[in-house]
Amino acid sequence: MKVNGKGMRSIWLEPDGWSVGIIDQTLLPHALVTTRLTTLAEAAAAISTMQVRGAPLIGSAAAYGLCLALRADRSDAALDDACRILAATRPTAINLRWALEEMRDRLHAVPPAERVSEAYRQAAAICEADVATNRAIAEHGATLLREAWNRKGGQGRLNVLTHCNAGWLATVDWGTALAPIFKAHDAGLPVHVWVDETRPRNQGASLTAWELLQHGVPHTVIVDNVGGHLMQHGEVDLCITGTDRTTSRGDVANKIGTYLKALAAKDNGVAFYVALPSSTIDWTIADGVAEIPIEQRDGTEVSEITGRLMNGEIATVRIVPEGSAVANYAFDVTPARLVTALITERGVCPASSEGLLALFPERRGNEGRG
Amino acid sequence: MKVNGKGMRSIWLEPDGWSVGIIDQTLLPHALVTTRLTTLAEAAAAISTMQVRGAPLIGSAAAYGLCLALRADRSDAALDDACRILAATRPTAINLRWALEEMRDRLHAVPPAERVSEAYRQAAAICEADVATNRAIAEHGATLLREAWNRKGGQGRLNVLTHCNAGWLATVDWGTALAPIFKAHDAGLPVHVWVDETRPRNQGASLTAWELLQHGVPHTVIVDNVGGHLMQHGEVDLCITGTDRTTSRGDVANKIGTYLKALAAKDNGVAFYVALPSSTIDWTIADGVAEIPIEQRDGTEVSEITGRLMNGEIATVRIVPEGSAVANYAFDVTPARLVTALITERGVCPASSEGLLALFPERRGNEGRG
């Protein structure tokens, strides 16, 4: 998507043909700084310090991390070591493990002399596959937006609410929840996005707002408390969020607070869509509230907040009294009954076992029981 | 309530018998600083800069502001001028106007020579009436907490979720939503409070957490996104919030985000109580969503946040990209259908016209139409 008027991805091969460029996302939205990764250690550090984040992007960054490792040592032992080191950077990201296993299996089958070029080929393929998946989600989702716009009679603007960041910064390009928004905007639909701040890590205010600003999509940042009020007053035409894990019956685990927006959407007759690559579907479970473990993160993410001082410096301030306990749940589960439809790379379907199986018939017979 | 182990109110007459002590609430939770008000101008500034805030407390502070004005000039003209100046400090607070009108009517009827002593008598009476109202709310609400505790079988702790600050800092003492919590805690009930941060002004994280910490009530600060997840997992036994305006049929306008918590409570079978002095009831309207105007405040309350740097200094940081639009709605309306009961100084009633009229029969015949 666009940054300063030019197309940009979240990860790329530098003109030297081997080093890897990334955006240091920890400095957004205050500064756009790109960094060159030249070693396994640099790639691992970029993932663990969240210079790159978002499950699909982490997988791609790890794939390139393997390339950099193999440039230094093409042996089987070095390959396995590199996989271990990269897998340990983030403990829960599914795409990370998937990308590393895919790479390792193929590279073990190739003679050491050919491993570097093969690794770069595969890393590029993983990135391109991610972009293709997201482009398909963009197409299918944009159709829903166009239909909503037509239902609205083509008046005013189409108001879409989103929570957290499921944009191109979390993937290689396009994103998931934001992909249909970029697509519809580029096609001339007057989309306006209500951007939930998304406490405690503020991915909405810092990343989603920045992406939309750079690409020129009209948007307004609101605190997470506002969405219900806007829906009561007809100011939201539809919601789209991403999901970190989707159960076989369509329950979705996404950033904490998604469930509250889905309740408000239901209460006000507003469509609530969830966009996902099918790699996030966990076919082994059905009941998300009962079965998906919810990560609890460090309380300092709640009690401290980082931003830019008036003098331009980046600083962290404490906003909770010393001595008060803090709890930090990272995700919640929105039951399928609150989800209007799922937007996948294969098309749009009801959030139900039957809906998902109609799009993914090869999974019939091995889905979780509800 | 208690601060550093000693009883404290939010406003008091100093030992000199005429100057007025307040807590500078803009510095909480990072520093407890008290200030002496000695002139009308100082009182007006304390209200307009939100050193004192909360509708009941503003009324009391304005009453004492009149006392200070009359010490300088006891004439009719000075009295009217002072009322005008104090009324202009906050445009929407109902209690402010009510307190000033009450004071002015009575003081005009008194000879100038007696006005100062009469003003102090009345200001003290307004404060004491506020405390008595809140103490009654505490009693009625604590009964509900005790019943919930008994239903739970007296095991573990009683988990109460609250939003924003409806504590003693917003009144003269006790508070409204927090009053039953203080009462139940003092009576030995093992109450634990989930404190919503309450973006954008963070009154939960900065004021409610501080009040509970000082009084020794166990509590945990969470971001506003978390409540729904906790309710899904049985971690909330009941919710209590305050209200800024209550309609004749029991709709409540309260801090933005209250509606989302009420939806989650309904979805999970959790009781949702609203505590209020009857002075917040607007008998002239019924449909809160349609009829209560919602204040929009400056966007910098969303895009900037103030806290304490590691070096102890108080600093403000920007957390939204320059160039992104921001919207800041201060309140939302929770329909009566989502409110389990209202807790008033006269007792507990269903959130309905009939419920309210049973407690306030003198209002029968002049309530708004639903």
Side-chain angles (χ1 to χ4, degrees):
Chain A
M1 298 293 102
K2 283 191 197 140
V3 176
N4 295 325
K6 285 169 45 183
M8 190 168 194
R9 286 187 172 184
S10 64
I11 192 167
W12 59 90
L13 208 57
E14 292 284 355
D16 60 20
W18 66 271
S19 68
V20 181
I22 59 162
I23 297 169
D24 182 351
Q25 298 193 22
T26 62
L27 301 179
L28 290 176
H30 306 296
L32 173 64
V33 175
T34 62
T35 303
R36 248 177 92 232
L37 307 177
T38 61
T39 64
L40 166 65
E42 287 173 2
I47 300 172
S48 62
T49 62
M50 299 182 72
Q51 290 184 311
V52 290
R53 31 64 60 191
L57 176 54
I58 289 173
S60 299
Y64 274 119
L66 271 194
C67 300
L68 297 172
L70 290 172
R71 288 187 85 241
D73 184 343
R74 302 166 186 205
S75 69
D76 285 9
L79 173 58
D80 291 345
D81 273 0
C83 285
R84 203 174 26 73
I85 288 165
L86 288 163
T89 51
R90 292 288 299 278
T92 53
I94 286 174
N95 301 49
L96 177 61
R97 272 145 229 285
W98 170 85
L100 288 170
E101 281 166 23
E102 179 109 341
M103 294 278 286
R104 187 178 49 194
D105 290 352
R106 293 215 193 172
L107 292 170
H108 268 299
V110 167
E114 296 168 26
R115 275 184 186 161
V116 173
S117 57
E118 178 60 21
Y120 276 101
R121 246 194 312 277
Q122 281 187 47
I126 284 173
C127 290
E128 291 309 320
D130 178 63
V131 175
T133 292
N134 299 335
R135 198 181 284 122
I137 289 171
E139 296 279 358
H140 299 306
T143 302
L144 293 175
L145 266 60
R146 211 168 300 116
E147 288 167 2
W149 177 240
N150 292 340
R151 273 197 304 278
K152 202 178 178 176
Q155 293 297 311
R157 60 188 191 182
L158 185 72
N159 289 301
V160 180
L161 184 143
T162 191
H163 191 70
C164 199
N165 175 257
W168 66 268
L169 287 168
T171 64
V172 176
D173 205 357
W174 285 99
T176 55
L178 294 193
I181 291 168
F182 288 125
K183 186 81 190 171
H185 170 82
D186 287 352
L189 217 69
V191 183
H192 166 263
V193 185
W194 294 110
V195 178
D196 270 4
E197 174 183 46
T198 318
R199 289 281 293 143
R201 290 183 60 93
N202 289 37
Q203 294 96 330
S206 57
L207 302 179
T208 298
W210 184 83
E211 283 191 23
L212 296 173
L213 188 65
Q214 290 295 335
H215 198 74
V217 182
H219 64 284
T220 305
V221 176
I222 49 176
V223 298
D224 303 306
N225 286 323
V226 170
H229 168 72
L230 292 175
M231 293 187 220
Q232 284 178 320
H233 290 272
E235 295 288 340
V236 180
D237 295 306
L238 57 95
C239 305
I240 308 183
T241 74
T243 162
D244 287 80
R245 205 194 301 196
T246 310
T247 73
S248 65
R249 74 176 186 197
D251 294 350
V252 292
N254 191 45
K255 188 63 44 183
I256 191 79
T258 302
Y259 167 54
L260 295 171
K261 295 299 139 60
L263 283 169
K266 189 77 167 184
D267 199 45
N268 292 284
V270 172
F272 192 91
Y273 298 111
V274 177
L276 58 126
S278 59
S279 58
T280 77
I281 304 172
D282 184 343
W283 295 96
T284 68
I285 61 174
D287 181 343
V289 173
E291 299 182 74
I292 298 179
I294 298 299
E295 180 185 0
Q296 291 193 54
R297 297 176 56 86
D298 196 276
T300 54
E301 290 186 351
V302 175
S303 59
E304 299 177 0
I305 197 163
T306 298
R308 193 174 45 73
L309 291 167
M310 295 306 128
N311 67 11
E313 270 176 52
I314 305 297
T316 298
V317 294
R318 185 174 175 95
I319 54 174
V320 171
E322 299 280 353
S324 286
V326 171
N328 183 11
Y329 297 85
F331 304 97
D332 64 18
V333 172
T334 299
R337 66 183 151 87
L338 302 177
V339 177
T340 307
L342 302 173
I343 307 169
T344 80
E345 71 272 26
R346 290 204 193 161
V348 176
C349 72
S352 66
S353 301
E354 280 314 302
L356 280 167
L357 289 172
L359 286 185
F360 300 91
E362 70 274 24
R363 295 291 180 167
R364 203 170 280 278
N366 71 345
E367 72 277 13
R369 296 286 150 83
Chain B
M1 298 292 103
K2 283 189 197 145
V3 176
N4 296 324
K6 285 167 47 183
M8 190 166 193
R9 287 186 173 185
S10 64
I11 192 166
W12 59 89
L13 208 58
E14 293 284 355
D16 60 21
W18 66 271
S19 68
V20 180
I22 59 162
I23 298 169
D24 182 350
Q25 297 193 24
T26 63
L27 301 177
L28 290 176
H30 306 298
L32 174 63
V33 175
T34 61
T35 302
R36 249 176 92 231
L37 307 177
T38 61
T39 63
L40 166 66
E42 287 173 2
I47 300 171
S48 61
T49 63
M50 299 183 72
Q51 289 183 312
V52 290
R53 30 64 63 190
L57 175 55
I58 289 173
S60 299
Y64 274 120
L66 272 194
C67 300
L68 297 172
L70 291 172
R71 285 187 85 240
D73 184 343
R74 303 167 185 203
S75 68
D76 284 10
L79 173 57
D80 290 345
D81 271 359
C83 284
R84 202 174 26 75
I85 288 166
L86 288 163
T89 52
R90 292 290 299 279
T92 53
I94 286 173
N95 301 51
L96 176 62
R97 270 145 230 287
W98 170 85
L100 288 170
E101 281 166 24
E102 178 106 345
M103 294 278 286
R104 188 179 49 193
D105 290 351
R106 293 218 195 170
L107 292 170
H108 267 300
V110 167
E114 294 167 28
R115 276 183 186 163
V116 173
S117 58
E118 178 59 20
Y120 275 100
R121 245 194 313 276
Q122 280 186 49
I126 285 173
C127 290
E128 291 310 319
D130 178 64
V131 175
T133 292
N134 299 335
R135 198 182 283 123
I137 290 171
E139 296 278 358
H140 298 307
T143 302
L144 293 175
L145 266 60
R146 211 169 300 117
E147 288 167 1
W149 176 240
N150 292 340
R151 273 197 304 278
K152 202 178 178 177
Q155 294 297 310
R157 61 187 190 181
L158 185 72
N159 289 301
V160 180
L161 184 143
T162 192
H163 191 71
C164 198
N165 176 257
W168 65 267
L169 288 169
T171 63
V172 176
D173 205 357
W174 286 100
T176 54
L178 295 193
I181 291 168
F182 288 126
K183 185 83 190 171
H185 170 81
D186 288 352
L189 217 69
V191 183
H192 166 264
V193 185
W194 295 109
V195 179
D196 271 4
E197 176 184 46
T198 318
R199 290 280 293 141
R201 289 183 61 93
N202 289 36
Q203 295 95 330
S206 58
L207 302 179
T208 298
W210 184 83
E211 283 191 23
L212 296 172
L213 189 66
Q214 290 295 336
H215 198 76
V217 182
H219 64 284
T220 305
V221 177
I222 50 176
V223 297
D224 302 305
N225 285 323
V226 170
H229 169 72
L230 293 174
M231 293 188 221
Q232 284 179 320
H233 291 271
E235 295 290 339
V236 180
D237 295 306
L238 57 94
C239 304
I240 308 183
T241 73
T243 164
D244 288 79
R245 206 194 300 196
T246 310
T247 72
S248 64
R249 74 177 186 198
D251 293 350
V252 292
N254 191 45
K255 188 63 43 180
I256 190 80
T258 302
Y259 167 54
L260 295 171
K261 294 301 140 58
L263 284 169
K266 189 76 167 186
D267 199 45
N268 292 283
V270 172
F272 193 91
Y273 297 111
V274 177
L276 58 125
S278 59
S279 58
T280 76
I281 304 172
D282 183 343
W283 296 96
T284 66
I285 61 174
D287 181 342
V289 173
E291 298 183 74
I292 299 179
I294 299 298
E295 180 185 1
Q296 290 194 55
R297 297 177 54 86
D298 196 276
T300 54
E301 290 186 351
V302 175
S303 59
E304 299 178 359
I305 196 163
T306 298
R308 194 173 46 70
L309 291 166
M310 295 306 127
N311 68 11
E313 269 176 53
I314 305 298
T316 298
V317 294
R318 186 176 175 94
I319 55 174
V320 172
E322 299 281 354
S324 287
V326 171
N328 183 12
Y329 297 85
F331 304 98
D332 65 17
V333 172
T334 299
R337 66 186 152 87
L338 302 176
V339 178
T340 307
L342 302 173
I343 308 170
T344 79
E345 72 270 28
R346 292 206 192 161
V348 176
C349 72
S352 66
S353 300
E354 279 315 301
L356 279 168
L357 289 172
L359 286 186
F360 300 92
E362 71 274 23
R363 295 291 180 166
R364 203 171 280 277
N366 70 345
E367 73 275 15
R369 296 287 150 83

